[in-house]
PDB file of all heavy atoms in Angstrom:
ATOM      1  N   ILE T1183      62.848 109.158 -25.974  1.00  0.00           N
ATOM      2  CA  ILE T1183      62.598 107.734 -26.211  1.00  0.00           C
ATOM      3  C   ILE T1183      61.288 107.314 -25.544  1.00  0.00           C
ATOM      4  O   ILE T1183      60.463 106.601 -26.138  1.00  0.00           O
ATOM      5  CB  ILE T1183      63.773 106.876 -25.694  1.00  0.00           C
ATOM      6  CG1 ILE T1183      65.024 107.096 -26.558  1.00  0.00           C
ATOM      7  CG2 ILE T1183      63.400 105.395 -25.683  1.00  0.00           C
ATOM      8  CD1 ILE T1183      66.267 106.403 -26.036  1.00  0.00           C
ATOM      9  N   LEU T1184      61.074 107.780 -24.321  1.00  0.00           N
ATOM     10  CA  LEU T1184      59.835 107.460 -23.614  1.00  0.00           C
ATOM     11  C   LEU T1184      58.624 108.081 -24.305  1.00  0.00           C
ATOM     12  O   LEU T1184      57.553 107.461 -24.393  1.00  0.00           O
ATOM     13  CB  LEU T1184      59.925 107.941 -22.164  1.00  0.00           C
ATOM     14  CG  LEU T1184      60.963 107.222 -21.286  1.00  0.00           C
ATOM     15  CD1 LEU T1184      61.052 107.882 -19.913  1.00  0.00           C
ATOM     16  CD2 LEU T1184      60.625 105.741 -21.147  1.00  0.00           C
ATOM     17  N   ALA T1185      58.787 109.316 -24.807  1.00  0.00           N
ATOM     18  CA  ALA T1185      57.679 109.984 -25.501  1.00  0.00           C
ATOM     19  C   ALA T1185      57.309 109.238 -26.783  1.00  0.00           C
ATOM     20  O   ALA T1185      56.120 109.058 -27.087  1.00  0.00           O
ATOM     21  CB  ALA T1185      58.069 111.426 -25.815  1.00  0.00           C
ATOM     22  N   LEU T1186      58.299 108.795 -27.541  1.00  0.00           N
ATOM     23  CA  LEU T1186      58.032 108.037 -28.767  1.00  0.00           C
ATOM     24  C   LEU T1186      57.361 106.703 -28.442  1.00  0.00           C
ATOM     25  O   LEU T1186      56.464 106.246 -29.157  1.00  0.00           O
ATOM     26  CB  LEU T1186      59.333 107.803 -29.538  1.00  0.00           C
ATOM     27  CG  LEU T1186      59.936 109.028 -30.243  1.00  0.00           C
ATOM     28  CD1 LEU T1186      61.304 108.689 -30.824  1.00  0.00           C
ATOM     29  CD2 LEU T1186      59.012 109.528 -31.350  1.00  0.00           C
ATOM     30  N   THR T1187      57.801 106.083 -27.343  1.00  0.00           N
ATOM     31  CA  THR T1187      57.188 104.822 -26.926  1.00  0.00           C
ATOM     32  C   THR T1187      55.718 105.035 -26.570  1.00  0.00           C
ATOM     33  O   THR T1187      54.849 104.235 -26.958  1.00  0.00           O
ATOM     34  CB  THR T1187      57.941 104.242 -25.718  1.00  0.00           C
ATOM     35  OG1 THR T1187      59.329 104.085 -26.058  1.00  0.00           O
ATOM     36  CG2 THR T1187      57.372 102.890 -25.315  1.00  0.00           C
ATOM     37  N   LEU T1188      55.428 106.109 -25.849  1.00  0.00           N
ATOM     38  CA  LEU T1188      54.040 106.439 -25.513  1.00  0.00           C
ATOM     39  C   LEU T1188      53.209 106.679 -26.772  1.00  0.00           C
ATOM     40  O   LEU T1188      52.058 106.230 -26.865  1.00  0.00           O
ATOM     41  CB  LEU T1188      53.990 107.672 -24.612  1.00  0.00           C
ATOM     42  CG  LEU T1188      52.587 108.208 -24.271  1.00  0.00           C
ATOM     43  CD1 LEU T1188      51.792 107.160 -23.493  1.00  0.00           C
ATOM     44  CD2 LEU T1188      52.688 109.510 -23.490  1.00  0.00           C
ATOM     45  N   MET T1189      53.791 107.362 -27.744  1.00  0.00           N
ATOM     46  CA  MET T1189      53.067 107.653 -28.982  1.00  0.00           C
ATOM     47  C   MET T1189      52.710 106.368 -29.739  1.00  0.00           C
ATOM     48  O   MET T1189      51.663 106.296 -30.384  1.00  0.00           O
ATOM     49  CB  MET T1189      53.887 108.575 -29.880  1.00  0.00           C
ATOM     50  CG  MET T1189      53.831 110.042 -29.481  1.00  0.00           C
ATOM     51  SD  MET T1189      52.154 110.724 -29.541  1.00  0.00           S
ATOM     52  CE  MET T1189      51.763 110.555 -31.282  1.00  0.00           C
ATOM     53  N   THR T1190      53.555 105.355 -29.667  1.00  0.00           N
ATOM     54  CA  THR T1190      53.215 104.090 -30.331  1.00  0.00           C
ATOM     55  C   THR T1190      52.019 103.417 -29.647  1.00  0.00           C
ATOM     56  O   THR T1190      51.344 102.596 -30.251  1.00  0.00           O
ATOM     57  CB  THR T1190      54.400 103.108 -30.356  1.00  0.00           C
ATOM     58  OG1 THR T1190      54.745 102.732 -29.021  1.00  0.00           O
ATOM     59  CG2 THR T1190      55.606 103.717 -31.043  1.00  0.00           C
ATOM     60  N   TYR T1191      51.774 103.777 -28.396  1.00  0.00           N
ATOM     61  CA  TYR T1191      50.647 103.209 -27.653  1.00  0.00           C
ATOM     62  C   TYR T1191      49.330 103.892 -28.009  1.00  0.00           C
ATOM     63  O   TYR T1191      48.277 103.251 -28.063  1.00  0.00           O
ATOM     64  CB  TYR T1191      50.915 103.346 -26.151  1.00  0.00           C
ATOM     65  CG  TYR T1191      49.904 102.647 -25.265  1.00  0.00           C
ATOM     66  CD1 TYR T1191      49.947 101.275 -25.077  1.00  0.00           C
ATOM     67  CD2 TYR T1191      48.909 103.376 -24.614  1.00  0.00           C
ATOM     68  CE1 TYR T1191      49.020 100.633 -24.269  1.00  0.00           C
ATOM     69  CE2 TYR T1191      47.979 102.751 -23.796  1.00  0.00           C
ATOM     70  CZ  TYR T1191      48.037 101.375 -23.629  1.00  0.00           C
ATOM     71  OH  TYR T1191      47.113 100.741 -22.827  1.00  0.00           O
ATOM     72  N   ILE T1192      49.377 105.206 -28.304  1.00  0.00           N
ATOM     73  CA  ILE T1192      48.141 105.977 -28.489  1.00  0.00           C
ATOM     74  C   ILE T1192      47.942 106.493 -29.907  1.00  0.00           C
ATOM     75  O   ILE T1192      46.897 107.058 -30.215  1.00  0.00           O
ATOM     76  CB  ILE T1192      48.081 107.164 -27.499  1.00  0.00           C
ATOM     77  CG1 ILE T1192      49.243 108.146 -27.748  1.00  0.00           C
ATOM     78  CG2 ILE T1192      48.093 106.669 -26.061  1.00  0.00           C
ATOM     79  CD1 ILE T1192      49.194 109.392 -26.876  1.00  0.00           C
ATOM     80  N   GLY T1193      48.928 106.312 -30.792  1.00  0.00           N
ATOM     81  CA  GLY T1193      48.822 106.824 -32.149  1.00  0.00           C
ATOM     82  C   GLY T1193      48.297 105.783 -33.121  1.00  0.00           C
ATOM     83  O   GLY T1193      48.656 104.604 -33.041  1.00  0.00           O
ATOM     84  N   GLN T1194      47.472 106.205 -34.061  1.00  0.00           N
ATOM     85  CA  GLN T1194      46.838 105.264 -34.989  1.00  0.00           C
ATOM     86  C   GLN T1194      47.838 104.584 -35.906  1.00  0.00           C
ATOM     87  O   GLN T1194      47.796 103.369 -36.107  1.00  0.00           O
ATOM     88  CB  GLN T1194      45.788 105.992 -35.832  1.00  0.00           C
ATOM     89  CG  GLN T1194      45.079 105.072 -36.832  1.00  0.00           C
ATOM     90  CD  GLN T1194      44.067 105.799 -37.688  1.00  0.00           C
ATOM     91  OE1 GLN T1194      43.923 107.009 -37.602  1.00  0.00           O
ATOM     92  NE2 GLN T1194      43.369 105.064 -38.540  1.00  0.00           N
ATOM     93  N   THR T1195      48.766 105.365 -36.484  1.00  0.00           N
ATOM     94  CA  THR T1195      49.688 104.805 -37.477  1.00  0.00           C
ATOM     95  C   THR T1195      50.569 103.721 -36.878  1.00  0.00           C
ATOM     96  O   THR T1195      50.951 102.770 -37.568  1.00  0.00           O
ATOM     97  CB  THR T1195      50.564 105.919 -38.080  1.00  0.00           C
ATOM     98  OG1 THR T1195      49.719 106.976 -38.538  1.00  0.00           O
ATOM     99  CG2 THR T1195      51.378 105.400 -39.248  1.00  0.00           C
ATOM    100  N   ALA T1196      50.888 103.846 -35.579  1.00  0.00           N
ATOM    101  CA  ALA T1196      51.759 102.866 -34.922  1.00  0.00           C
ATOM    102  C   ALA T1196      51.025 101.584 -34.559  1.00  0.00           C
ATOM    103  O   ALA T1196      51.661 100.591 -34.192  1.00  0.00           O
ATOM    104  CB  ALA T1196      52.386 103.478 -33.676  1.00  0.00           C
ATOM    105  N   GLY T1197      49.695 101.582 -34.659  1.00  0.00           N
ATOM    106  CA  GLY T1197      48.932 100.360 -34.397  1.00  0.00           C
ATOM    107  C   GLY T1197      48.898  99.941 -32.953  1.00  0.00           C
ATOM    108  O   GLY T1197      48.795  98.747 -32.656  1.00  0.00           O
ATOM    109  N   GLY T1198      48.979 100.908 -32.034  1.00  0.00           N
ATOM    110  CA  GLY T1198      48.946 100.586 -30.618  1.00  0.00           C
ATOM    111  C   GLY T1198      47.578 100.162 -30.135  1.00  0.00           C
ATOM    112  O   GLY T1198      46.585 100.225 -30.878  1.00  0.00           O
ATOM    113  N   PRO T1199      47.476  99.725 -28.871  1.00  0.00           N
ATOM    114  CA  PRO T1199      46.208  99.214 -28.344  1.00  0.00           C
ATOM    115  C   PRO T1199      45.122 100.276 -28.187  1.00  0.00           C
ATOM    116  O   PRO T1199      43.940  99.954 -28.148  1.00  0.00           O
ATOM    117  CB  PRO T1199      46.601  98.622 -26.982  1.00  0.00           C
ATOM    118  CG  PRO T1199      47.941  99.168 -26.663  1.00  0.00           C
ATOM    119  CD  PRO T1199      48.595  99.543 -27.926  1.00  0.00           C
ATOM    120  N   ILE T1200      45.528 101.548 -28.056  1.00  0.00           N
ATOM    121  CA  ILE T1200      44.546 102.632 -27.885  1.00  0.00           C
ATOM    122  C   ILE T1200      44.789 103.693 -28.957  1.00  0.00           C
ATOM    123  O   ILE T1200      45.918 104.172 -29.105  1.00  0.00           O
ATOM    124  CB  ILE T1200      44.657 103.277 -26.493  1.00  0.00           C
ATOM    125  CG1 ILE T1200      44.392 102.245 -25.401  1.00  0.00           C
ATOM    126  CG2 ILE T1200      43.678 104.447 -26.360  1.00  0.00           C
ATOM    127  CD1 ILE T1200      44.589 102.780 -23.998  1.00  0.00           C
ATOM    128  N   THR T1201      43.755 104.066 -29.691  1.00  0.00           N
ATOM    129  CA  THR T1201      43.901 105.105 -30.709  1.00  0.00           C
ATOM    130  C   THR T1201      43.311 106.406 -30.182  1.00  0.00           C
ATOM    131  O   THR T1201      42.126 106.698 -30.361  1.00  0.00           O
ATOM    132  CB  THR T1201      43.198 104.709 -32.023  1.00  0.00           C
ATOM    133  OG1 THR T1201      43.752 103.479 -32.484  1.00  0.00           O
ATOM    134  CG2 THR T1201      43.406 105.776 -33.086  1.00  0.00           C
ATOM    135  N   LEU T1202      44.162 107.192 -29.522  1.00  0.00           N
ATOM    136  CA  LEU T1202      43.731 108.494 -29.031  1.00  0.00           C
ATOM    137  C   LEU T1202      44.006 109.598 -30.050  1.00  0.00           C
ATOM    138  O   LEU T1202      43.324 110.623 -30.056  1.00  0.00           O
ATOM    139  CB  LEU T1202      44.438 108.826 -27.706  1.00  0.00           C
ATOM    140  CG  LEU T1202      44.117 107.927 -26.500  1.00  0.00           C
ATOM    141  CD1 LEU T1202      44.858 108.418 -25.262  1.00  0.00           C
ATOM    142  CD2 LEU T1202      42.617 107.894 -26.244  1.00  0.00           C
ATOM    143  N   ILE T1203      45.037 109.362 -30.880  1.00  0.00           N
ATOM    144  CA  ILE T1203      45.407 110.378 -31.876  1.00  0.00           C
ATOM    145  C   ILE T1203      45.342 109.728 -33.256  1.00  0.00           C
ATOM    146  O   ILE T1203      46.205 108.926 -33.609  1.00  0.00           O
ATOM    147  CB  ILE T1203      46.822 110.935 -31.618  1.00  0.00           C
ATOM    148  CG1 ILE T1203      46.962 111.388 -30.157  1.00  0.00           C
ATOM    149  CG2 ILE T1203      47.119 112.098 -32.556  1.00  0.00           C
ATOM    150  CD1 ILE T1203      48.350 111.883 -29.797  1.00  0.00           C
ATOM    151  N   PRO T1204      44.328 110.062 -34.056  1.00  0.00           N
ATOM    152  CA  PRO T1204      44.182 109.438 -35.372  1.00  0.00           C
ATOM    153  C   PRO T1204      45.166 110.020 -36.383  1.00  0.00           C
ATOM    154  O   PRO T1204      45.747 111.090 -36.181  1.00  0.00           O
ATOM    155  CB  PRO T1204      42.734 109.775 -35.759  1.00  0.00           C
ATOM    156  CG  PRO T1204      42.460 111.066 -35.050  1.00  0.00           C
ATOM    157  CD  PRO T1204      43.225 110.999 -33.762  1.00  0.00           C
ATOM    158  N   PHE T1205      45.334 109.291 -37.504  1.00  0.00           N
ATOM    159  CA  PHE T1205      46.113 109.799 -38.628  1.00  0.00           C
ATOM    160  C   PHE T1205      45.289 110.875 -39.333  1.00  0.00           C
ATOM    161  O   PHE T1205      44.077 110.731 -39.465  1.00  0.00           O
ATOM    162  CB  PHE T1205      46.434 108.650 -39.598  1.00  0.00           C
ATOM    163  CG  PHE T1205      47.169 109.075 -40.835  1.00  0.00           C
ATOM    164  CD1 PHE T1205      48.544 109.187 -40.819  1.00  0.00           C
ATOM    165  CD2 PHE T1205      46.489 109.371 -42.014  1.00  0.00           C
ATOM    166  CE1 PHE T1205      49.228 109.576 -41.961  1.00  0.00           C
ATOM    167  CE2 PHE T1205      47.166 109.764 -43.158  1.00  0.00           C
ATOM    168  CZ  PHE T1205      48.536 109.869 -43.130  1.00  0.00           C
ATOM    169  N   PRO T1206      45.873 112.018 -39.770  1.00  0.00           N
ATOM    170  CA  PRO T1206      47.302 112.358 -39.810  1.00  0.00           C
ATOM    171  C   PRO T1206      47.790 113.162 -38.612  1.00  0.00           C
ATOM    172  O   PRO T1206      48.928 113.619 -38.594  1.00  0.00           O
ATOM    173  CB  PRO T1206      47.399 113.193 -41.087  1.00  0.00           C
ATOM    174  CG  PRO T1206      46.106 113.943 -41.101  1.00  0.00           C
ATOM    175  CD  PRO T1206      45.067 112.997 -40.540  1.00  0.00           C
ATOM    176  N   TRP T1207      46.892 113.339 -37.596  1.00  0.00           N
ATOM    177  CA  TRP T1207      47.281 114.177 -36.468  1.00  0.00           C
ATOM    178  C   TRP T1207      48.399 113.550 -35.655  1.00  0.00           C
ATOM    179  O   TRP T1207      49.199 114.249 -35.024  1.00  0.00           O
ATOM    180  CB  TRP T1207      46.059 114.460 -35.601  1.00  0.00           C
ATOM    181  CG  TRP T1207      44.983 115.183 -36.359  1.00  0.00           C
ATOM    182  CD1 TRP T1207      43.768 114.695 -36.747  1.00  0.00           C
ATOM    183  CD2 TRP T1207      45.059 116.516 -36.871  1.00  0.00           C
ATOM    184  NE1 TRP T1207      43.076 115.630 -37.470  1.00  0.00           N
ATOM    185  CE2 TRP T1207      43.845 116.770 -37.567  1.00  0.00           C
ATOM    186  CE3 TRP T1207      46.024 117.519 -36.829  1.00  0.00           C
ATOM    187  CZ2 TRP T1207      43.574 117.974 -38.188  1.00  0.00           C
ATOM    188  CZ3 TRP T1207      45.764 118.727 -37.454  1.00  0.00           C
ATOM    189  CH2 TRP T1207      44.553 118.950 -38.113  1.00  0.00           C
ATOM    190  N   ASP T1208      48.453 112.228 -35.638  1.00  0.00           N
ATOM    191  CA  ASP T1208      49.554 111.592 -34.912  1.00  0.00           C
ATOM    192  C   ASP T1208      50.896 111.924 -35.553  1.00  0.00           C
ATOM    193  O   ASP T1208      51.891 112.153 -34.860  1.00  0.00           O
ATOM    194  CB  ASP T1208      49.341 110.086 -34.815  1.00  0.00           C
ATOM    195  CG  ASP T1208      49.230 109.398 -36.172  1.00  0.00           C
ATOM    196  OD1 ASP T1208      48.932 110.079 -37.173  1.00  0.00           O
ATOM    197  OD2 ASP T1208      49.429 108.159 -36.235  1.00  0.00           O
ATOM    198  N   MET T1209      50.921 111.995 -36.894  1.00  0.00           N
ATOM    199  CA  MET T1209      52.165 112.359 -37.583  1.00  0.00           C
ATOM    200  C   MET T1209      52.545 113.813 -37.300  1.00  0.00           C
ATOM    201  O   MET T1209      53.726 114.155 -37.193  1.00  0.00           O
ATOM    202  CB  MET T1209      52.011 112.128 -39.083  1.00  0.00           C
ATOM    203  CG  MET T1209      51.805 110.677 -39.484  1.00  0.00           C
ATOM    204  SD  MET T1209      53.095 109.582 -38.848  1.00  0.00           S
ATOM    205  CE  MET T1209      54.550 110.348 -39.560  1.00  0.00           C
ATOM    206  N   ALA T1210      51.536 114.669 -37.184  1.00  0.00           N
ATOM    207  CA  ALA T1210      51.797 116.072 -36.851  1.00  0.00           C
ATOM    208  C   ALA T1210      52.406 116.178 -35.452  1.00  0.00           C
ATOM    209  O   ALA T1210      53.357 116.950 -35.226  1.00  0.00           O
ATOM    210  CB  ALA T1210      50.502 116.881 -36.930  1.00  0.00           C
ATOM    211  N   VAL T1211      51.893 115.385 -34.508  1.00  0.00           N
ATOM    212  CA  VAL T1211      52.435 115.388 -33.151  1.00  0.00           C
ATOM    213  C   VAL T1211      53.885 114.905 -33.142  1.00  0.00           C
ATOM    214  O   VAL T1211      54.754 115.499 -32.483  1.00  0.00           O
ATOM    215  CB  VAL T1211      51.572 114.506 -32.212  1.00  0.00           C
ATOM    216  CG1 VAL T1211      52.251 114.334 -30.850  1.00  0.00           C
ATOM    217  CG2 VAL T1211      50.192 115.118 -32.030  1.00  0.00           C
ATOM    218  N   ILE T1212      54.164 113.826 -33.874  1.00  0.00           N
ATOM    219  CA  ILE T1212      55.536 113.313 -33.949  1.00  0.00           C
ATOM    220  C   ILE T1212      56.471 114.381 -34.531  1.00  0.00           C
ATOM    221  O   ILE T1212      57.593 114.579 -34.044  1.00  0.00           O
ATOM    222  CB  ILE T1212      55.598 112.026 -34.804  1.00  0.00           C
ATOM    223  CG1 ILE T1212      54.872 110.875 -34.114  1.00  0.00           C
ATOM    224  CG2 ILE T1212      57.040 111.634 -35.118  1.00  0.00           C
ATOM    225  CD1 ILE T1212      55.535 110.399 -32.832  1.00  0.00           C
TER     226      ILE T1212
END
């Protein structure tokens, strides 16, 4: 749960404040 929450912060698709992992790589990480 904590890992998914962190991913929403740094993943592009989730629209978080920081985009460290762009699409589609964020989906690959998930």
Side-chain angles (χ1 to χ4, degrees):
I1183 291 174
L1184 294 174
L1186 288 173
T1187 304
L1188 175 62
M1189 281 299 297
T1190 64
Y1191 187 78
I1192 62 176
Q1194 180 181 4
T1195 308
I1200 299 176
T1201 302
L1202 295 182
I1203 309 177
F1205 177 85
W1207 300 110
D1208 59 340
M1209 296 306 302
V1211 171
I1212 292 293

